Amino acid sequence: ANPGSVAARDIAFARAARDDGGPSAFDEFAAADAVIHDAEGPIDVAAYFARRSASMPPRQWTPQAVWSSCDGSLAVTRGAWQSADGSQGYFTNVWQRDSDGDYRWTLNQGEALDTPVEAPEFVRTDVAECPARGLADELRTQAEQSRPVTGGTYFDQVSSDSSLFLTFVVSPDLSRHWKLMLYRDGHMV
C-alpha cells in the first residue's frame, strides 16, 4: 500500500480538471466502468457530462484523507472542493489499481455544503492490516452483512486481499450512506 501515491493521483486528477477541463480529466482518470453519483443516482461519466452545460464552472479539489487496503489494490480519498462560482463541498473518490499499476477512479461522489470543509494540516492516511491467507471470504461476508441501510442503489467494492470494503448506498429517499471497513486486530472495523 502506498497512500501517498493515491493522494498524488487525486491531486493530478484535480490539476487535469483545472487545466484541461472536467470532462477530459474525468474521462482520462476513470476506470472503464466508473460512475458518478449525483442527485439522481449513479450515472456513467460520458452521460453525466453530456447532461451538463459547457459553461459548468471549473471545480478544484484537494484530498484530505486516504484509506487504503493492505495490498494497495483499492483506496478511497475524501476531501474538499470549491467552484469558481463560490460553491463548495466535499467529495469522495474510490480508486482501484489497474494491471499497469496506475490508479483509476471507479466512483466519484460529492455534496455541496454551506460551510467549507476545514483543511487539515496534513493529508490523513490509514492503511488496513494484512489479513492471514484464507480469511478473504469470511471478511467479505462480514462486510456485506453490515451494509448501512436496506434498499436503494448499492455500490460495493472490496480490495483483492479483502482488507478494505466499502459500501455506498443511495436510499429510495435519495439520502446517501457510506460505510468503509478496514481490517484491524483480526476483524473488520
Side-chain angles (χ1 to χ4, degrees):
N2 184 348
S5 67
V6 178
R9 185 73 171 160
D10 209 326
I11 291 166
F13 179 25
R15 186 175 300 125
R18 180 193 67 214
D19 296 347
D20 305 330
S24 173
F26 272 77
D27 186 55
E28 176 186 348
F29 286 79
D33 58 349
V35 294
I36 294 175
H37 274 267
D38 69 3
E40 298 171 23
I43 185 168
D44 71 68
V45 180
Y48 178 82
F49 284 105
R51 290 190 334 195
R52 300 293 183 254
S53 76
S55 63
M56 201 172 128
R59 186 175 283 182
Q60 189 60 43
W61 63 89
T62 305
Q64 298 176 338
V66 180
W67 296 271
S68 177
S69 63
C70 176
D71 67 358
S73 64
L74 189 66
V76 178
T77 57
R78 182 167 262 191
W81 61 261
Q82 306 81 31
S83 285
D85 66 2
S87 58
Q88 63 209 357
Y90 77 90
F91 73 90
T92 307
N93 288 324
V94 177
W95 296 91
Q96 187 167 26
R97 193 170 53 203
D98 65 18
S99 59
D100 294 333
D102 290 331
Y103 282 96
R104 302 245 174 240
W105 68 268
T106 59
L107 174 72
N108 169 269
Q109 182 270 329
E111 293 283 337
L113 299 171
D114 294 330
T115 305
V117 176
E118 186 175 328
E121 192 171 335
F122 299 100
V123 175
R124 189 181 114 214
T125 61
D126 197 359
V127 177
E129 294 173 0
C130 296
R133 290 185 179 266
L135 278 179
D137 290 338
E138 180 183 331
L139 295 176
R140 185 171 285 126
T141 299
Q142 284 178 29
E144 289 171 352
Q145 291 174 346
S146 67
R147 285 180 164 167
V149 296
T150 57
T153 304
Y154 279 85
F155 177 90
D156 289 331
Q157 201 158 356
V158 63
S159 63
S160 297
D161 66 356
S162 296
S163 68
L164 185 148
F165 181 87
L166 67 101
T167 298
F168 174 67
V169 184
V170 179
S171 296
D173 67 0
L174 299 181
S175 62
R176 300 174 186 197
H177 307 272
W178 273 95
K179 186 163 194 174
L180 177 72
M181 300 178 74
L182 297 171
Y183 185 69
R184 284 272 189 280
D185 299 323
H187 59 281
M188 298 301 282
V189 295

